[in-house]
Amino acid sequence: MTREWGSIWAPFLASLLLVGWLLEVAAGSSDGTWTVKHEAGRCALKGQCGKKSFFGGQLPCPDNSVAEVPDEDTRKKLVAICGDKWDNGAICCNGDQIDSLSTNLKRAESIISSCPACKENFFNLFCTFTCSPDQSLFLNVTDTQKANTGKLIVTELDTLWSDDYGKGFYNSCKDVKFGATGGKAMDFIGGGAKDYTKFLKFLGDTKPFGSPFQINFPRPSSGNFTNMTAADPAARACNDTDEAYRCACVDCPASCPELPKVAEQGACHVGALPCLSFAVIIVYSAFLLLLVTAVAGHIAYQKHSKRKSERLQLLQDAALSEDEDEDEGDDVRHAGLLEKPQGQYWINSYCDAVFKKLGFVCARFPLITISASVAVVAVLSIGWVNFAVETDPVRLWVSPSSEAATEKEFFDSNFGPFYRAEQAFLVNDTHSSGPGPVLSYDTLAWWFDLENRVQRFRSMKEGVSLESVCFNPTGKACVVQSITGYFGGSFANVDPDTWREDLRHCTEQPGSQECLPDFQQPLSKDIILGGWQKTDDILDAEALITTWVVNNHPPGSEKEAVAMDWEEMLKNLLQDAQREAKHRGLRLSFSTEISLEQELNKSTNTDAKIVIVSYIIMFLYASLALGSTTLTVKSILHNPANAMVQSKFTLGVIGILIVLMSVSASVGLFSACGIKVTLIIAEVIPFLVLAVGVDNIFLIVHEFERVNLSHPDESVETRVSKALGRMGPSILLSASTETVAFALGAAVGMPAVKNFAAYAAGAVLVNALLQVTMFVSVLSLNQRRVESRRADCFPCIRVGRADTGRHGAQYGYEEEGGLQRFIRKVYAPALLARKVKIAIVVVFLGIFTAGLALLPTVALGLDQRQAFPRDSYLISYFNDLDEYFNTGPPVYFVVKDSDVSERLHQQELCARYSTCHSFSLTNVLEQESKRSDISYITGSTASWIDDFFTWLNPTNEECCKEHGKTCFAGRDPPWNITLYGMPQDGEFLHYLSKWLSSPTNEACPFGGAAPYSNALVVHPNSMMDPVPASHFRTSHTPLRSQSDFISAYASARRIASDVSESQNITVFPYSKFYIFFDQYASIVSLAGILLGSAVFIIFFLTSLLLGSLATGLVVTITVIMIVVAVLGTMALVHVSLNAISLVNLVICVGIGVEFCAHIARAFQFPSNTVLAKAPHHLVGRMGRGKDARAWASLVNVGGSVFSGITVTKFLGVAVLAWTRSKIFEVYYFRVWLALVVWAAAHALVFLPVALSLVGGEGYIDPESEGSLEDDLNARRYRGLLPDEDVDSDDY
């Protein structure tokens, strides 16, 4: 916000613009005539002959007399101000004129002295205009009038200057920077002119504080100027070969050394495709080509074999019949050839024994187990007393130890928090025809009134007004950037007839005195008007923009609370104004500093309802679906009373309560450890634990029902122990891999991910422990209730007509549910057919290829508009901000630990002096602004050290004064642009402290108090580090997208790093938005490390617990394919990669393992009972029985995976489609829906096929032996088993 300080120059500049240069020029005698003769050696005007009015300046008389040789004193004066080329010959000016010219040109020198070429051209123009002996050749008086003295004075004239000189003059000055304003000198000396014709016109136009008479600068080619010749002195270029006139790089891009080229950051491409996409497509195409070749070769071989002899053909047909077309007559023989796993895996056997014993104990002592579980959870939940939710985005998404966080803390502690900005847009886009001009006299009247209300109104609690909280650099007026500033903040200054012309004038010459706002800062049209760029006509602007700048204070301070109180008043006022604007056919959007957090909290409260509904639906489904394991339609028709007894609703509810208990325990544990909860944790952890927990519940219950069928005469404790003995290792596999994978995230510095990982790992672990203890106890109690014929939910009621539930094989597989029957009879056999398996592999590898090809197109960022409710007023504000605000955010380059009292370090920072390093900080920033498409830097750099040395320049007589004298006047060595006359060490600190307390005013616009008082940290009494920190401010280009913000941050980092390395100083960049985009500097590598580590853990643990590297690899690859498919979907549905989606990707790994682990273990340790039912065409295929084991795994746990996790999650996710929050719809609904679909597809379709092809060798499951069916299998009487569906006709 230091840019505003240059506005203090405006009153001073008014006296510069020709008031002193042209007004007091002289004419010869009072009886001269207008310019009649145009010839060498003849004047056109001379002398000071009077004023137009009492308040006007002295005007010259027309004088067409011959030039005269001046006296010696006059000559000395002229040479002193205009140079040695005037040391001889006649002139057309006198001593009084030269005195006035000298006084005013010295004032102009303070603006342009940093560029010798511009100064030379500027001085040369006015010296030549005033004193040239050939004045009449290029000057013609066109109008006069009588002055108050009675003499004739000039009121208008034409002066001819060559186009070459005009261009050279303008080009030498157009890039000269002007002090602390960060703007250009051209804004003041040329009204912001964009070419030399407008520059000269500005100099010549009559103004109250500018030229007192009209000076026209016609182009020599525009008319017939008889006997006149355009003045054509040689214009000095800013990069002149003469070092005496060469300007510094900061003021002359042509003088700058070339910056090193920046390597393109874009990814490798082959044509329009990223290299990764191109490579995977080529590989997949090659795979398809090889597959087609293999299939074609196989077909050709079969055709060739048919041409053999009849005998060989018949033998071949018989062989094929034996291998592939088994019939009913061979049932018993093929049953005997079934390849069953023969060996045992010691880790599995040990886990089986442990879980079997644990299940028996928990079932034997259910009340003790339940009580102990509840007590442990209660103890852990005590930590809820320390429960706290982290809502601060900075503490949420940025690691406290990250560069961005430490740099923000350093900046705030040394320079103060950045300003609070309140901004409003008034837009005319409510009509069906589209946006239109917003400016009208009536609209301006209403807007002036609204701004006046903002200034007058007081807050409700503290009773403060804008004046009490605003940023007020001059002590005279608040900084309010608005169109009203062009009219002095008063609608009385808006003329209904001329307001358009006045507005156009102020947008073209914002530095004009009549256009300056009360806080004296020139207002750029880009920050107060939007949409005018479409027609390049300011009157066609589609938006009015007003920004109120408010002082910021440390978080939690009393002053911050006062500012927030005023902002609440402003918010209410602007919300009322929105209705007024709508009545006028306009639209008002706005934002205050407190709006963002308020709307985010509002969004969270809205989302909470949707999340709760989602969880309730999952609860209900899980509770009801558990009953389907035994409560089938056939059983109900056989005995309707079974519905009351066989229902497992209570068991399901308790299972869900266990999930909630695990969440509560995890929250309590980590809250006690001081780890705060985030909104992501509150919304995601229950979803995650439900996904894991419900699946395990279904697996345990389904397996227990199978044990009830196969071991009906065993005790409840024994049956429970057998079920847990079989499913316990499977739960251990999934829970351990998920817990370790989530725990890895705790090593990440980003709090949102770190805290989520800790809570997720804890919740999953506790949930698994409760399921193998407390839930098993509840399951045993439930079975005792069933066997005693007591009603579900009302165990006190006994239903005498119901079955006991111990029906054994009475109904056989007729008692299985419809889903189970479909998987066993239809789905699994069809899936494992040879041709189907080939098609599945091709399709899923194609999906994997597509996902990899889409990876490079996943964008980075998080559009903050997505974080708000759909009806939030901030959405339209951010839309307008992108559409109409054409100014980028400020950026500060902070220098630390550099002893700037030494000349060497001064040269590393400065830019305006001849010995400044070519690649000094300020020089580099200026050069980077010339390639803003790469650097995202634009505008001038506010360099305190350059302005400080300029303040010391003794030509600025009213700036640095000591003991009544101008500093450095007569000093030896004198002040000079080489820096070798500048102060160092203690003298430097003395003048620096004096400068920082020096006001910025009309007499001295270089004072440092206003623009730089908070730009330096000065310890004048410190010998080691007197200036430990200072900053240099510039601006970013307008940033429209997340990609722009990320690239701008990366570019600023690059610039700071390059300067730090080349100058051997410590520099870092700071802008208010950097803290939120720091994550993207490392999020891709962070995602790779997290996901890669999780995948490695999955491979290690699955291989260890399953006893097979091959099966572990298949599971790992399947999980990778799930994650890649989700990432590809993110690219297609426009979900960006950020901390939220990174958390979701970690969830994808966990859920992917949950989907796959149980099927993989059922494949490695197949149930003999189920395996014995394998279809004949799968038995012994390829001599290994992998097809049969894959079939058995689907039959055994496929139904649990589908109903226990797929349907549960799908129902829960589907509810999120109705959320009002865009962030939930994008980052939760879209990602989780993709996760459920892809995880289910890969686990239930691809994984069984992959296992049947390359899975590892199986092992004996200890819990699969001992039943009647196992005994029959062992005796190879598979055909006698009670399964009416064994016949091959069914397949």
Side-chain angles (χ1 to χ4, degrees):
M1 293 304 300
T2 56
R3 191 180 296 274
E4 62 269 27
W5 301 111
S7 56
I8 306 235
W9 285 77
F12 161 70
L13 290 172
S15 65
L16 293 180
L17 301 178
L18 299 181
V19 175
W21 306 317
L22 302 175
L23 328 177
E24 302 167 8
V25 293
S29 61
S30 59
D31 59 351
T33 59
W34 293 10
T35 314
V36 176
K37 295 182 180 182
H38 298 281
E39 60 186 17
R42 190 171 292 277
C43 303
L45 48 79
K46 187 186 297 184
Q48 297 176 344
C49 297
K51 304 178 181 179
K52 282 185 180 181
S53 64
F54 178 79
F55 296 101
Q58 288 285 337
L59 297 181
C61 291
D63 188 333
N64 203 204
S65 64
V66 176
E68 299 176 350
V69 177
D71 57 46
E72 185 176 351
D73 289 341
T74 302
R75 176 75 68 187
K76 287 182 179 179
K77 292 179 181 178
L78 180 61
V79 171
I81 188 65
C82 294
D84 291 339
K85 63 184 177 180
W86 297 89
D87 63 355
N88 60 70
I91 58 175
C92 286
C93 57
N94 59 27
D96 291 338
Q97 288 178 277
I98 295 173
D99 288 341
S100 298
L101 183 65
S102 176
T103 299
N104 291 289
L105 284 180
K106 284 184 178 179
R107 291 183 180 178
E109 186 178 8
S110 63
I111 301 176
I112 58 177
S113 61
S114 62
C115 181
C118 176
K119 172 191 170 184
E120 169 65 17
N121 294 331
F122 199 95
F123 278 38
N124 190 35
L125 183 143
F126 289 108
C127 288
T128 302
F129 180 92
T130 306
C131 296
S132 172
D134 302 324
Q135 198 179 63
S136 64
L137 287 178
F138 58 87
L139 192 150
N140 184 54
V141 176
T142 58
D143 197 8
T144 61
Q145 73 177 49
K146 282 190 175 183
N148 53 3
T149 61
K151 296 180 180 181
L152 199 64
I153 57 175
V154 177
T155 57
E156 185 173 358
L157 58 81
D158 292 337
T159 179
L160 290 183
W161 293 79
S162 70
D163 290 333
D164 288 341
Y165 184 80
K167 292 176 182 177
F169 179 23
Y170 173 77
N171 289 335
S172 68
C173 296
K174 67 179 182 180
D175 293 306
V176 176
K177 305 305 183 298
F178 179 54
T181 66
K184 295 181 178 180
M186 185 58 65
D187 292 338
F188 300 95
I189 66 173
K194 301 302 181 184
D195 56 54
Y196 75 97
T197 58
K198 293 180 180 178
F199 178 31
L200 296 176
K201 181 179 184 300
F202 178 83
L203 293 177
D205 284 345
T206 303
K207 306 179 191 69
F209 296 95
S211 174
F213 62 95
Q214 182 63 35
I215 304 174
N216 302 314
F217 287 87
R219 301 283 74 329
S221 60
S222 64
N224 183 19
F225 302 96
T226 306
N227 298 325
M228 294 182 67
T229 303
D232 190 24
R236 293 289 184 179
C238 66
N239 63 334
D240 202 280
T241 55
D242 187 341
E243 291 293 336
Y245 298 103
R246 181 183 289 271
C247 303
C249 169
V250 68
D251 294 321
C252 179
S255 296
C256 296
E258 185 178 357
L259 287 176
K261 291 185 177 180
V262 178
E264 292 187 9
Q265 300 297 316
C268 167
H269 279 74
V270 178
L273 286 176
C275 289
L276 175 62
S277 305
F278 179 80
V280 296
I281 291 173
I282 290 297
V283 171
Y284 182 67
S285 300
F287 165 76
L288 288 181
L289 180 61
L290 291 175
L291 180 63
V292 170
T293 302
V295 171
H298 178 69
I299 294 174
Y301 175 78
Q302 285 186 327
K303 290 181 178 180
H304 174 73
S305 63
K306 289 182 180 180
R307 298 188 182 97
K308 292 184 178 181
S309 65
E310 185 66 23
R311 183 178 63 83
L312 293 177
Q313 185 67 46
L314 292 173
L315 291 174
Q316 186 181 46
D317 290 343
L320 288 172
S321 176
E322 290 178 3
D323 290 341
E324 298 181 359
D325 298 323
E326 302 174 5
D327 56 26
E328 294 180 347
D330 295 324
D331 282 350
V332 175
R333 182 167 59 86
H334 282 294
L337 294 177
L338 174 64
E339 285 193 11
K340 296 193 304 178
Q342 299 300 317
Q344 292 190 358
Y345 183 47
W346 69 272
I347 291 181
N348 180 73
S349 299
Y350 177 77
C351 292
D352 177 272
V354 171
F355 280 107
K356 187 174 182 179
K357 185 174 182 179
L358 176 64
F360 187 88
V361 172
C362 293
R364 184 70 177 269
F365 307 102
L367 295 181
I368 296 176
T369 303
I370 294 171
S371 300
S373 299
V374 172
V376 171
V377 170
V379 170
L380 292 176
S381 298
I382 294 175
W384 277 80
V385 297
N386 292 330
F387 178 83
V389 178
E390 183 62 81
T391 58
D392 185 348
V394 174
R395 295 190 181 96
L396 194 60
W397 304 117
V398 181
S399 169
S401 60
S402 69
E403 281 188 326
T406 55
E407 289 166 358
K408 180 183 185 301
E409 182 181 358
F410 182 89
F411 187 93
D412 289 349
S413 61
N414 285 278
F415 308 116
F418 197 75
Y419 302 98
R420 306 174 71 90
E422 337 292 338
Q423 194 171 59
F425 289 81
L426 183 67
V427 184
N428 181 16
D429 66 352
T430 61
H431 306 290
S432 58
S433 58
V438 71
L439 294 171
S440 70
Y441 185 77
D442 290 340
T443 298
L444 288 177
W446 178 70
W447 196 248
F448 270 81
D449 176 67
L450 176 62
E451 290 193 12
N452 287 332
R453 279 184 274 164
V454 172
Q455 293 183 359
R456 296 194 314 266
F457 281 22
R458 294 181 175 272
S459 63
M460 295 296 292
K461 294 181 180 179
E462 303 292 338
V464 296
S465 63
L466 174 62
E467 184 179 1
S468 303
V469 298
C470 73
F471 177 58
N472 188 344
T474 63
K476 299 177 181 178
C478 295
V479 174
V480 180
Q481 298 170 333
S482 170
I483 192 175
T484 60
Y486 284 155
F487 301 93
S490 173
F491 188 66
N493 297 329
V494 182
D495 190 307
D497 298 321
T498 64
W499 68 269
R500 293 177 179 85
E501 290 73 20
D502 296 340
L503 177 60
R504 198 186 300 277
H505 164 68
C506 287
T507 56
E508 293 176 354
Q509 301 173 14
S512 299
Q513 177 64 24
E514 62 273 18
C515 299
L516 290 172
D518 293 340
F519 61 93
Q520 297 295 291
Q521 173 191 359
L523 290 169
S524 169
K525 57 188 175 184
D526 288 330
I527 65 174
I528 61 174
L529 294 167
W532 57 268
Q533 296 88 349
K534 297 177 182 178
T535 62
D536 203 28
D537 185 351
I538 203 69
L539 297 179
D540 291 334
E542 298 171 0
L544 293 179
I545 309 170
T546 295
T547 305
W548 295 271
V549 183
V550 175
N551 285 317
N552 205 353
H553 306 281
S557 65
E558 182 178 349
K559 290 184 177 180
E560 184 196 42
V562 171
M564 294 172 66
D565 182 41
W566 181 85
E567 287 169 346
E568 187 68 32
M569 180 279 298
L570 177 65
K571 185 188 75 170
N572 296 333
L573 175 60
L574 293 179
Q575 285 177 335
D576 292 337
Q578 284 181 322
R579 291 184 284 271
E580 298 176 25
K582 185 177 181 180
H583 180 71
R584 293 174 172 273
L586 303 172
R587 179 176 57 79
L588 175 66
S589 64
F590 72 93
S591 173
T592 67
E593 194 74 15
I594 61 173
S595 296
L596 186 62
E597 184 173 348
Q598 288 181 344
E599 290 298 290
L600 287 175
N601 292 336
K602 178 181 174 183
S603 175
T604 301
N605 294 335
T606 301
D607 294 335
K609 300 175 184 177
I610 297 295
V611 172
I612 290 173
V613 172
S614 173
Y615 290 153
I616 290 175
I617 290 177
M618 289 189 286
F619 292 167
L620 291 176
Y621 167 77
S623 299
L624 294 173
L626 277 177
S628 66
T629 56
T630 53
L631 192 60
T632 63
V633 174
K634 187 170 183 178
S635 67
I636 294 176
L637 293 177
H638 173 75
N639 186 355
N642 285 342
M644 298 181 64
V645 174
Q646 298 293 342
S647 169
K648 294 183 177 63
F649 185 83
T650 302
L651 185 63
V653 170
I654 293 177
I656 300 302
L657 288 177
I658 287 176
V659 171
L660 298 181
M661 289 171 62
S662 65
V663 174
S664 176
S666 180
V667 172
L669 173 63
F670 291 106
S671 293
C673 296
I675 300 177
K676 289 187 176 182
V677 175
T678 68
L679 297 178
I680 290 181
I681 292 173
E683 295 161 346
V684 173
I685 294 295
F687 180 93
L688 174 65
V689 181
L690 274 173
V692 176
V694 171
D695 188 32
N696 291 340
I697 289 172
F698 272 74
L699 287 169
I700 293 173
V701 172
H702 286 177
E703 183 61 28
F704 180 67
E705 294 303 330
R706 290 192 186 95
V707 175
N708 280 340
L709 291 172
S710 60
H711 299 80
D713 297 326
E714 299 284 355
S715 66
V716 173
E717 292 89 344
T718 301
R719 279 176 279 156
V720 168
S721 67
K722 284 182 173 292
L724 187 61
R726 174 159 177 78
M727 284 299 133
S730 184
I731 294 174
L732 173 65
L733 172 61
S734 63
S736 59
T737 52
E738 290 159 6
T739 300
V740 175
F742 289 142
L744 285 173
V748 176
M750 190 183 299
V753 177
K754 180 178 182 178
N755 294 6
F756 162 79
Y759 278 90
V764 169
L765 178 61
V766 173
N767 181 69
L769 293 175
L770 290 178
Q771 285 173 334
V772 297
T773 53
M774 180 177 174
F775 182 76
V776 167
S777 298
V778 174
L779 180 63
S780 68
L781 292 177
N782 182 75
Q783 185 60 27
R784 290 188 177 95
R785 175 193 62 77
V786 172
E787 294 180 2
S788 62
R789 297 184 176 90
R790 295 186 179 276
D792 189 22
C793 300
F794 304 98
C796 295
I797 301 176
R798 183 180 178 86
V799 182
R801 295 182 56 190
D803 295 329
T804 63
R806 301 179 64 179
H807 40 67
Q810 178 181 355
Y811 302 109
Y813 269 85
E814 293 180 2
E815 292 302 309
E816 65 184 349
L819 173 63
Q820 193 77 9
R821 185 179 297 106
F822 171 78
I823 293 175
R824 183 174 63 86
K825 294 181 61 178
V826 179
Y827 177 72
L831 182 72
L832 297 172
R834 286 181 177 176
K835 294 180 180 179
V836 174
K837 289 200 292 185
I838 294 174
I840 287 173
V841 170
V842 170
V843 170
F844 276 84
L845 286 181
I847 294 171
F848 182 62
T849 299
L852 289 176
L854 289 169
L855 282 183
T857 65
V858 177
L860 301 181
L862 172 60
D863 190 336
Q864 51 194 334
R865 284 169 287 196
Q866 295 179 342
F868 308 128
R870 296 178 189 271
D871 58 352
S872 172
Y873 65 88
L874 286 183
I875 294 178
S876 60
Y877 164 76
F878 282 109
N879 290 337
D880 291 337
L881 187 68
D882 285 348
E883 180 69 19
Y884 299 115
F885 198 61
N886 203 37
T887 301
V891 54
Y892 302 85
F893 285 84
V894 180
V895 180
K896 306 195 311 183
D897 306 325
S898 178
D899 187 1
V900 294
S901 65
E902 295 184 4
R903 182 164 294 119
L904 173 63
H905 296 300
Q906 296 166 3
Q907 293 167 331
E908 294 168 345
L909 303 178
C910 69
R912 294 184 180 275
Y913 302 92
S914 59
T915 60
C916 296
H917 292 178
S918 296
F919 293 101
S920 68
L921 174 59
T922 308
N923 272 335
V924 168
L925 292 177
E926 290 297 329
Q927 290 175 266
E928 291 287 359
S929 69
K930 306 302 187 298
R931 55 179 187 183
S932 56
D933 57 324
I934 297 174
S935 67
Y936 294 87
I937 298 292
T938 188
S940 305
T941 300
S943 171
W944 66 265
I945 194 162
D946 288 307
D947 288 347
F948 168 53
F949 288 149
T950 302
W951 178 77
L952 291 175
N953 190 341
T955 61
N956 301 317
E957 297 177 352
E958 299 301 319
C959 288
C960 181
K961 304 198 79 156
E962 278 192 316
H963 311 298
K965 297 181 180 180
T966 301
C967 304
F968 282 69
R971 173 189 169 97
D972 185 25
W975 186 99
N976 62 84
I977 63 172
T978 66
L979 291 183
Y980 288 100
M982 300 301 183
Q984 295 189 81
D985 302 323
E987 186 184 25
F988 175 89
L989 295 175
H990 166 73
Y991 283 113
L992 182 65
S993 300
K994 187 177 182 65
W995 173 64
L996 288 174
S997 61
S998 173
T1000 303
N1001 51 36
E1002 183 176 340
C1004 179
F1006 290 105
Y1012 293 118
S1013 59
N1014 64 348
L1016 295 92
V1017 178
V1018 181
H1019 299 153
N1021 297 323
S1022 173
M1023 299 299 295
M1024 297 298 296
D1025 197 8
V1027 185
S1030 64
H1031 68 62
F1032 295 74
R1033 182 188 50 77
T1034 183
S1035 295
H1036 280 300
T1037 57
L1039 306 176
R1040 306 295 187 193
S1041 64
Q1042 294 291 292
S1043 176
D1044 287 346
F1045 281 100
I1046 295 170
S1047 298
Y1049 176 61
S1051 176
R1053 283 282 180 203
R1054 172 188 60 79
I1055 294 169
S1057 176
D1058 289 347
V1059 172
S1060 298
E1061 183 177 352
S1062 67
Q1063 301 301 306
N1064 195 30
I1065 56 178
T1066 303
V1067 181
F1068 70 83
Y1070 174 79
S1071 190
K1072 191 175 182 180
F1073 72 88
Y1074 285 176
I1075 194 74
F1076 303 108
F1077 287 86
D1078 178 68
Q1079 58 177 292
Y1080 302 110
S1082 60
I1083 196 166
V1084 174
S1085 58
L1086 176 61
I1089 293 172
L1090 274 179
L1091 299 180
S1093 301
V1095 165
F1096 175 78
I1097 291 298
I1098 291 169
F1099 173 69
F1100 175 78
L1101 290 179
T1102 52
S1103 299
L1104 178 67
L1105 295 178
L1106 295 180
S1108 170
L1109 290 175
T1111 301
L1113 184 61
V1114 170
V1115 172
T1116 304
I1117 291 175
T1118 304
V1119 172
I1120 292 174
M1121 293 174 69
I1122 292 171
V1123 175
V1124 169
V1126 172
L1127 279 167
T1129 305
M1130 286 171 55
L1132 293 176
V1133 299
H1134 308 294
V1135 178
S1136 302
L1137 178 61
N1138 49 52
I1140 297 176
S1141 50
L1142 179 56
V1143 169
N1144 279 333
L1145 289 175
V1146 176
I1147 290 176
C1148 288
V1149 174
I1151 300 299
V1153 171
E1154 184 65 27
F1155 268 96
C1156 299
H1158 304 302
I1159 291 177
R1161 188 180 182 281
F1163 172 82
Q1164 280 298 111
F1165 305 95
S1167 168
N1168 286 341
T1169 303
V1170 178
L1171 188 62
K1173 303 289 190 283
H1176 302 299
H1177 70 284
L1178 299 178
V1179 176
R1181 177 179 289 176
M1182 299 180 66
R1184 295 183 300 175
K1186 291 182 181 179
D1187 285 349
R1189 284 193 285 131
W1191 177 89
S1193 67
L1194 280 173
V1195 172
N1196 195 26
V1197 298
S1200 299
V1201 171
F1202 181 80
S1203 59
I1205 183 171
T1206 305
V1207 177
T1208 305
K1209 294 301 108 190
F1210 182 81
L1211 291 175
V1213 169
V1215 177
L1216 298 181
W1218 283 272
T1219 180
R1220 290 173 54 202
S1221 172
K1222 191 69 175 177
I1223 197 170
F1224 248 71
E1225 189 244 316
V1226 172
Y1227 290 97
Y1228 294 105
F1229 173 69
R1230 295 181 188 179
V1231 175
W1232 287 353
L1233 182 61
L1235 169 60
V1236 172
V1237 171
W1238 289 124
H1242 282 79
L1244 297 175
V1245 180
F1246 175 77
L1247 180 61
V1249 170
L1251 291 173
S1252 72
L1253 294 174
V1254 294
E1257 297 298 328
Y1259 297 98
I1260 296 174
D1261 182 13
E1263 294 304 323
S1264 296
E1265 299 177 339
S1267 68
L1268 173 63
E1269 292 177 304
D1270 291 326
D1271 183 62
L1272 290 174
N1273 280 327
R1275 297 170 184 271
R1276 295 191 175 184
Y1277 292 115
R1278 184 170 178 271
L1280 302 178
L1281 294 175
D1283 188 352
E1284 75 284 359
D1285 297 320
V1286 171
D1287 296 342
S1288 61
D1289 294 341
D1290 292 337
Y1291 305 99

